[in-house]
């Protein structure tokens, strides 16, 4: 990596070091002296150093350095620190009438890297989270197949498995903002988005065992929950990369993610990745069920509706700064964000500071994987000037993330789904960040 | 991927399908009929199909399909299904006298892919898990540097971050077995091993800000917990890839993993990746502290001890089958396992069925990353014959995982640490799996 000039960043730390008295400083620098004692400014950093430990702990030794912590047995399945209690999925109370048919959003403003920990993966369900006994759960494959089949979980887990890091996104992500900015938090503008390592069996392997008949062109996937959510998927997607998934980030699926079994259509509308999967039917045409007619369609300006708009097109957002992560002081800043595309790999991301007039290339960092979240970074300095911060991603197919104006021109403002336009954060001279619209 | 012949696997499912009466079968195959009713064999797979839903649910509809589940608000930070309560970290009660200075091991027999979820990452600490307030935590860098520095967490998190998937392993992993097989479970033979996406700042970036003086050749890293665990690390490692880490798998470090800050020396003994990191001192030689003299050294046959044996050498183990995952029936089987090396990337893994006489190459699957867990797979058939199953990994440096005999010849049987020899599972005609030793 390139090392930025971060002298500004160090000012505060230098000041803290200055606060040490000269005597303290001498002790501080002389190797072998036991304690950096008495200097309030060094607080918890005061520590035994050099070759020998003393049992006389200094008065500024923090409490956690002077006592034993909690033991290993008490905590068989780990939890986050209670200091991180604010890092949770959140709902928008007015968005849905009932909690059993609602959404909770990932705190992507607090997340690092590309993996979303299982406890923070966004939720969307239509009849609450069922509690399914995996020993009793079955997956049936039937319809236009030579051999209808019924699988137990044990059957499925005997097949050779594959593990892949893929994002999953609700097509309604950002959907509240077709007519203009409405949500004052990144968690609510873009939090219906997560990325895990998923493990399962390619659905095509199971369908080859069943034997798809020549007329079989679509499948219907159906859930075992009270909503029996179902979607029609064209066979081309199945033969490409659809998985029948039982694990996420190493462990079995979480209940709200479809335990014990779900579909995963990488890069496609999250709702097509049917959770609590119990049935795959092969047919010769789509089923036109509720969740692909009255819901999950895109009402255009002329009153017609786009249907079967499966792909989550290329999108990106800056996660730091953002409304929840204001800029706290002038100086060096790493502008960071996430980019993703349902069509493959992210090729690049540009960043603008003036609402899209001028653009500069950001750096992709870490793993750049097919249909996975990809981090980008732009290192610069902030001196208190106002910014209209934007990111614009493009993918390996050449697709470039559109402006909101471009998207509206094509699709009007009646849609809920597939709003992947360039997002704007207004950075104010105070460092606060607002969700604004640039026309 | 290559598709195996899995006809055998399908027998049970076919039998279940045979159990359907002819009438049921007719319904089953005829598209548009509402229910696959009455067939006990299909259980929870019985479902509405075709173009219309009925409100008359069939008697064999499982309970979770007939009622609403739990809503979205009740569960802000997610937990595993209660059906997965057996998937937890476990301790060996006799291994340590006190739980505050003990070990818990990851249930690697239950894990998929390469990511270990945060709640299951193995634990090792020397004075219990401290509860550290991140606002009060400091990292001090001092010693042979031009500018001693004190960092708050906020300071550290303003630096450009990197995120990397790396394994972490206690050098005592497998250490109970130098004299022969002792543990009857994979979780206890190899469970001091996990792999996460870690996010933090390269330590070299922080040290460049401090300015290492020419005599600075080693650092001492020290924890803020009651044990003030400390290790000496040569500067070459720091300049290569050591990170100061604050997040794992996207979220802030778990308390038992060093919250809010730890060191990460990728590929090296887990104990060098000091948790609850509060102090980095630069010196001209190692400190010879307790955890690198009386502990974490390797007692040889001649009474001398190897010291500063930092690297976790190339290792591997078969995770399925294993004592916790016996073979349940003859037929197709995917033999799966994990390989890892502290020297870089895994190059390949061979599998033996006869205790190391003959070897066949396994397939690496999924991501093959530097100093990360790597999955391997070998697809075959089991007909009830006894097996002496082994895996042998080699890495990109040419290092080949040794036999236990080779390891003992060099290192005797007094060691606790760095036992990376080829492991043997005995598969019995019942399908049960035993931990055995092949001489």
């Amino acid at each position: 990596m390139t090392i930025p000039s971060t002298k500004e960043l160090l000012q505060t730390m230098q000041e803290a070091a200055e606060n040490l008295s000269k005597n303290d400083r001498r002790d501080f620098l002389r190797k072998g002296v036991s304690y950096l004692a008495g200097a309030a400014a060094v607080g918890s950093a005061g520590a035994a150093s050099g070759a020998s430990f003393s049992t006389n702990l200094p008065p500024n030794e923090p409490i956690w350095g002077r006592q034993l912590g909690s033991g290993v047995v008490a905590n068989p399945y780990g939890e986050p620190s209670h200091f991180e209690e604010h890092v949770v999925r959140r709902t928008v109370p007015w968005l849905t009438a009932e909690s059993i048919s609602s959404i909770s959003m990932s705190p992507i403003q607090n997340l690092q890297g590309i993996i979303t920990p299982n406890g923070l993966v966004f939720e969307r369900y239509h009849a609450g989270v069922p509690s399914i006994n995996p020993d009793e759960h079955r997956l049936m494959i039937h319809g236009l197949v030579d051999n209808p089949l019924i699988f137990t979980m044990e059957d499925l887990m005997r097949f050779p498995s594959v593990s892949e890091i893929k994002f999953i996104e609700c097509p309604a992500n950002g959907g509240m903002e077709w007519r203009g900015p409405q949500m004052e938090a990144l968690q609510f503008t873009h939090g219906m988005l997560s990325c895990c390592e998923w493990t399962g069996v390619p659905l095509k392997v199971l369908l080859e065992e069943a034997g798809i008949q020549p007329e079989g062109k679509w499948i219907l996937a159906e859930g075992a929950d009270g909503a029996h959510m179902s979607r029609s998927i064209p066979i081309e997607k199945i033969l490409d990369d659809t998985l029948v998934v039982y694990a996420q980030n190493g462990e079995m699926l979480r209940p709200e993610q479809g335990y014990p079994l779900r579909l995963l259509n990488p890069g496609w509308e999250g709702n097509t990745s049917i959770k609590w999967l119990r049935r795959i039917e092969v047919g010769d045409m789509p089923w036109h069920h509720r969740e692909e007619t009255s819901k999950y369609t895109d009402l255009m300006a002329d009153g017609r509706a786009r249907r079967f708009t499966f792909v989550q097109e290329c999108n990106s957002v800056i996660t730091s700064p953002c409304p929840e992560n204001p800029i706290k002081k002038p100086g060096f800043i790493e502008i960071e964000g996430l980019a993703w595309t349902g069509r493959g790999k992210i090729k690049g991301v540009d960043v603008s500071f003036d609402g899209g007039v001028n653009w500069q290339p950001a750096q992709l960092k870490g793993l750049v994987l097919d249909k996975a979240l990809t981090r980008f970074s732009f290192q610069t300095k902030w001196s208190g000037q106002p910014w209209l911060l934007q990111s614009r991603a493009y993918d390996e197919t050449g697709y470039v993330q559109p402006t909101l104006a471009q998207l509206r021109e094509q699709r009007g403002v009646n849609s809920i789904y597939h709003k992947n336009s360039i997002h704007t954060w207004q950075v104010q001279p105070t460092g606060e960040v607002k969700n604004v619209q640039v026309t």
Side-chain angles (χ1 to χ4, degrees), chain A:
Chain A
M1 58 165 286
T2 56
I3 311 302
S5 160
T6 54
K7 291 298 174 197
E8 301 94 348
L9 170 59
L10 292 168
Q11 274 181 350
T12 331
M13 303 173 240
Q14 298 283 20
E15 280 160 22
E18 300 296 332
N19 287 338
L20 293 168
S21 73
K22 276 198 177 143
N23 279 341
D24 292 332
R25 180 71 61 84
R26 225 174 7 251
D27 284 357
F28 188 26
L29 294 172
R30 200 172 66 217
K31 226 182 111 212
V33 167
S34 287
Y35 296 113
L36 177 63
V42 297
S44 55
S49 81
S52 64
F53 276 83
S54 163
T55 51
N56 268 330
L57 288 163
N60 67 341
E61 174 75 25
I63 181 71
W64 47 77
R66 286 184 276 130
Q67 66 185 17
L68 297 172
S70 53
V72 86
V73 184
N75 192 21
Y77 194 95
E79 290 175 1
S81 163
H82 65 90
F83 289 106
E84 299 297 315
E85 276 168 359
H86 59 289
V87 182
V88 288
R89 301 180 288 212
R90 287 189 178 85
T91 56
V92 179
W94 51 259
L95 197 60
T96 58
E98 296 287 345
S99 71
I100 47 93
S101 175
S102 191
I103 297 166
S104 80
M105 307 188 200
S106 287
I108 58 172
Q109 73 280 2
N110 298 117
L111 298 184
Q112 309 285 341
I114 63 171
I115 296 290
T116 309
N118 291 341
L120 297 175
V121 173
F122 83 94
E123 301 168 278
R124 170 73 176 114
Y125 28 82
H126 297 74
V129 179
S131 173
I132 297 182
N133 183 338
D135 293 340
E136 294 174 24
H137 188 70
R138 299 289 182 277
L139 172 65
M140 176 167 74
I141 296 185
H142 69 131
L144 298 176
V145 295
D146 297 333
N147 309 300
L149 295 169
I150 294 167
F151 300 87
T152 64
M153 286 303 299
E154 195 180 310
D155 295 330
L156 291 168
M157 293 179 75
R158 284 187 73 196
F159 276 88
S161 66
V162 299
S163 297
E164 294 179 354
I165 296 175
K166 300 289 182 189
F167 80 82
I168 188 161
E169 183 185 23
C170 179
N173 208 13
M176 286 90 92
E177 309 219 322
W178 275 97
R179 290 162 198 261
Q182 188 170 183
M183 312 307 294
E184 203 36 79
L186 171 61
Q187 185 161 8
F188 300 128
T189 62
H190 290 81
M192 301 184 207
L193 173 69
S194 298
C195 185
C196 296
E197 183 190 33
W198 307 95
T199 299
V201 186
L203 177 52
K204 74 173 174 186
V205 173
L206 305 181
L207 284 174
E208 277 162 10
E209 296 294 349
I212 307 172
Q213 293 176 0
E215 323 87 79
K217 297 300 178 201
W218 287 74
I219 67 130
L220 183 77
E222 183 191 76
D225 60 320
H228 297 306
M229 169 88 182
S230 60
R231 283 299 311 258
S232 307
I233 316 285
I235 207 82
E236 292 76 14
K237 178 66 175 173
I238 310 299
L239 300 178
D240 178 16
D241 63 0
T242 300
L243 299 178
V244 171
V245 158
Y246 46 79
Q248 62 180 124
N249 292 335
E251 66 188 352
M252 289 296 280
L253 286 172
R254 291 296 177 86
E256 65 272 23
Q257 293 304 320
Y259 182 86
L261 197 67
R262 77 177 300 170
L263 206 65
L264 185 74
N265 287 305
W268 280 23
E269 293 188 343
N271 66 81
T272 68
S273 291
I274 298 290
K275 298 192 281 194
W276 314 292
L277 180 70
R278 70 166 179 181
R279 190 164 74 88
I280 300 282
E281 183 173 352
V282 178
D284 55 359
M285 60 180 74
W287 276 254
H288 307 293
H289 278 185
R290 190 186 68 160
E291 310 293 350
E292 51 204 18
T293 50
S294 85
K295 304 288 177 195
Y296 299 113
T297 56
D298 311 322
L299 186 58
M300 309 285 275
D302 64 1
R304 290 181 307 152
R306 299 200 313 167
R307 298 184 56 202
F308 300 115
T309 47
F310 293 120
V311 177
Q312 295 294 104
E313 299 285 5
C314 188
N315 203 345
S316 71
V317 70
I318 289 169
T319 59
S320 179
C322 70
E324 299 100 316
N325 297 322
I327 306 181
K328 289 187 182 157
K329 55 182 108 167
F332 171 81
I333 180 172
E334 178 180 38
I335 291 163
E336 254 201 286
L338 292 166
W340 62 100
T341 170
R343 295 205 184 270
K345 289 184 183 170
I346 288 292
K347 185 80 177 293
V349 180
D350 300 320
V351 173
S352 174
F353 297 86
D354 53 14
V357 181
N358 297 287
W359 293 94
Q360 297 179 70
Q363 185 190 353
L364 302 186
K365 63 176 186 179
L367 294 171
V368 179
L369 301 173
D370 177 80
K371 298 165 194 159
L373 291 186
T374 301
R375 282 241 162 219
F376 63 87
S377 160
F378 189 92
Q379 300 177 11
T380 186
K381 241 169 91 169
W382 182 69
S383 323
Q385 71 274 39
W387 274 342
L388 284 173
L389 258 185
Q390 298 184 332
S391 65
R392 178 180 69 185
Y394 50 101
D395 67 23
E396 59 182 352
T397 71
Y399 181 101
V400 181
Q401 189 182 351
T403 63
L404 181 55
Q406 289 170 330
L407 207 58
R408 283 179 175 176
E409 195 181 310
Q410 284 208 2
R411 311 245 300 274
V413 293
N414 296 324
S415 278
I416 297 170
Y417 308 108
H418 296 290
K419 184 187 161 294
N420 66 318
S421 58
I422 290 167
H423 195 79
T424 312
W425 298 129
Q426 181 191 46
V427 178
Q428 301 182 324
T430 56
E432 286 172 295
V433 178
K434 300 284 176 196
N435 181 14
V436 299
Q437 182 189 330
V438 173
T439 47

